[in-house]
Amino acid sequence: MAKPNTRQFDRIIETAGNKLAGVRNRELWALPAGDQAKVAGYVGLAVAKATRLKSSPTAERGIERIWKNAEAALVAEIAAAEKGKAEVIAQAAAAKVAKKSSGWW
């Protein structure tokens, strides 16, 4: 029996893991394009407020919310990919057992 093909899941897990590391380091490339635009808008708002010597807690909260949501989404994506990989491995093992138990040898 051949080894189960889990390359697709491995690739998804690796890519999401790299993005998760980027999100945790607050690197903008790791965010989806829409979230990058939102962060840029919030940064612009914070800079505009700072030039007028005012604080911008709305912008800070918005940026922090984007980072937390991105991290949660990537953690969920990794968990789902690992679950799918485990299912493929379990199905391959069940098929191997069924094949061994059905024949003479």
Side-chain angles (χ1 to χ4, degrees):
M1 182 94 201
K3 185 176 172 185
N5 188 3
T6 59
R7 283 183 297 209
Q8 181 181 8
F9 291 111
D10 292 336
R11 189 172 49 252
I12 291 169
I13 292 168
E14 181 181 359
T15 303
N18 291 338
K19 283 185 179 182
L20 182 59
V23 166
R24 287 182 175 159
N25 291 331
R26 300 295 193 248
E27 297 172 358
L28 204 55
W29 65 265
L31 291 176
D35 288 344
Q36 288 178 6
K38 288 178 187 175
V39 168
Y42 281 129
V43 168
L45 177 66
V47 168
K49 292 272 187 170
T51 57
R52 289 183 247 143
L53 301 176
K54 296 180 181 178
S55 66
S56 180
T58 304
E60 293 169 6
R61 282 193 307 261
I63 291 171
E64 191 60 33
R65 185 178 58 242
I66 289 170
W67 288 114
K68 285 184 180 182
N69 289 344
E71 184 175 357
L74 288 168
V75 167
E77 182 179 345
I78 290 171
E82 287 175 345
K83 184 178 178 184
K85 180 180 175 180
E87 287 176 5
V88 167
I89 292 171
Q91 288 172 357
K96 186 175 182 180
V97 168
K99 184 178 178 183
K100 282 187 176 184
S101 66
S102 67
W104 272 44
W105 308 101

